[in-house]
């Protein structure tokens, strides 16, 4: 079964089936990752995050940074604090850029941002591809903390650490 997320980011799925998350159209897909969704415990609602993607769990450190950099850089309104939305024009540009090609998210960040697919995509969109530190900082605004917190990225760019302190 194939489908799209709705305006609230929800999708219908079959319990125990693998779901691929991708950008693009038809056969011209840029696969972000996949997850097998278990029975949802919360009133039939399952929450899937990037950390739940099989590829993130098994890949080297740059994989997640590159996925976050790509998604934040493609956000329709360039404001990740209100969620990430990929508009139709961007989705079409992705399909054109990936046609007949592949993109390796496990590449080192410098190699990823200069990959011909990334260069073609961001050239066509006339946008800037954000570096991992900037993108992860922007992405972290989706996870507002109710207490005072500090956010840091480890020196090898493999983890985002959030330290909460009571006010």
């Amino acid at each position: 079964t194939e489908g799209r997320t709705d305006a609230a980011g929800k999708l219908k799925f079959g319990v125990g089936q693998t779901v691929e998350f991708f950008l693009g159209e038809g056969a011209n897909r840029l696969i972000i990752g996949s997850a097998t969704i278990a029975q949802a415990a919360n009133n039939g609602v399952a929450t899937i995050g990037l950390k739940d993607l099989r590829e993130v769990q098994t890949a080297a450190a740059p994989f997640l940074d590159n996925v976050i950099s790509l998604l934040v850089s493609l956000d329709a309104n360039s404001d990740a604090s209100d969620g990430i939305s990929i508009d139709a024009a961007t989705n079409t540009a992705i399909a054109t850029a990936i046609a007949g090609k592949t993109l390796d998210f496990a590449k080192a960040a410098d190699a990823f941002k200069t990959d011909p697919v990334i260069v073609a995509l961001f050239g066509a969109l006339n946008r800037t591809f954000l570096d991992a530190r900037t993108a992860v900082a922007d992405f972290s605004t989706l996870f507002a903390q109710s207490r005072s917190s500090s956010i840091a990225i480890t020196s090898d760019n493999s983890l985002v650490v959030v330290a909460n302190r009571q006010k």
Side-chain angles (χ1 to χ4, degrees):
T1 304
E2 185 172 307
R4 295 186 180 272
T5 55
D6 65 18
K10 295 180 181 179
L11 66 114
K12 293 184 180 190
F13 62 91
V15 173
Q17 293 183 349
T18 299
V19 176
E20 277 188 342
F21 296 90
F22 65 89
L23 304 169
E25 303 168 343
N28 299 322
R29 297 177 176 196
L30 178 54
I31 298 172
I32 301 297
S34 60
T36 300
I37 304 171
Q39 181 65 40
N42 184 17
N43 294 326
V45 176
T47 301
I48 305 293
L50 292 176
K51 67 176 179 47
D52 298 313
L53 299 179
R54 183 174 297 114
E55 294 77 3
V56 170
Q57 295 172 0
T58 60
F63 191 98
L64 182 57
D65 288 346
N66 290 334
V67 169
I68 291 172
S69 293
L70 179 66
L71 293 174
V72 171
S73 297
L74 292 174
D75 183 36
N77 70 355
S78 301
D79 179 7
S81 70
D82 63 356
I84 295 175
S85 178
I86 308 298
D87 61 32
T90 299
N91 214 35
T92 299
I94 293 164
T96 301
I98 198 68
K101 301 173 191 81
T102 59
L103 182 61
D104 181 5
F105 285 97
K107 285 182 177 181
D110 287 339
F112 187 78
K113 74 179 177 184
T114 59
D115 186 280
V117 171
I118 295 294
V119 172
L121 174 59
F122 284 86
L125 293 170
N126 195 26
R127 291 192 195 170
T128 301
F129 183 79
L130 299 174
D131 64 88
R133 287 188 186 271
T134 302
V136 170
D138 287 353
F139 186 73
S140 68
T141 61
L142 287 170
F143 310 100
Q145 303 293 315
S146 61
R147 296 176 273 169
S148 175
S149 63
S150 298
I151 299 174
I153 302 172
T154 58
S155 63
D156 64 354
N157 288 332
S158 64
L159 296 172
V160 174
V161 179
V162 178
N164 288 316
R165 298 177 303 277
Q166 293 287 21
K167 288 187 174 181

